[in-house]
Amino acid sequence: MNLNRLINMGMRMLMRKGIGMVANRSKRPEDMTPEARARAKAASQTAQKAQRGMRAARRFMK
């Protein structure tokens, strides 16, 4: 593996973790109200859709 691929893999892993933290606002689900939990779930789903879109765009850009 070359260095560029390793860096990209590491960045993707960090971004995935960061998106999850932003969606949950760094709180545990047990500490959230039902409304906050629903918002966090919706934000997480939106982030997943964005990631899928980015993967599809990456495939078409090759």
Side-chain angles (χ1 to χ4, degrees), residues 1 3 7 9 12 14 18 24-25 27 32-33 45 48 50 54 57 59:
M1 256 188 178
L3 188 59
I7 292 171
M9 184 176 65
R12 268 189 245 116
L14 287 173
N24 291 336
R25 295 191 180 169
K27 293 183 183 177
M32 293 182 187
T33 63
Q45 288 174 345
Q48 287 176 351
M54 288 300 291
R59 263 187 243 125

Side-chain angles (χ1 to χ4, degrees), residues 43-55:
S44 177
Q45 288 174 345
T46 302
Q48 287 176 351
K49 287 179 186 177
Q51 286 175 344
R52 273 188 246 129
M54 288 300 291
R55 274 188 228 120

Side-chain angles (χ1 to χ4, degrees), residues 8-21:
N8 285 337
M9 184 176 65
M11 290 299 291
R12 268 189 245 116
M13 288 170 58
L14 287 173
M15 289 298 291
R16 243 181 270 130
K17 182 73 172 173
I19 289 171
M21 288 179 67

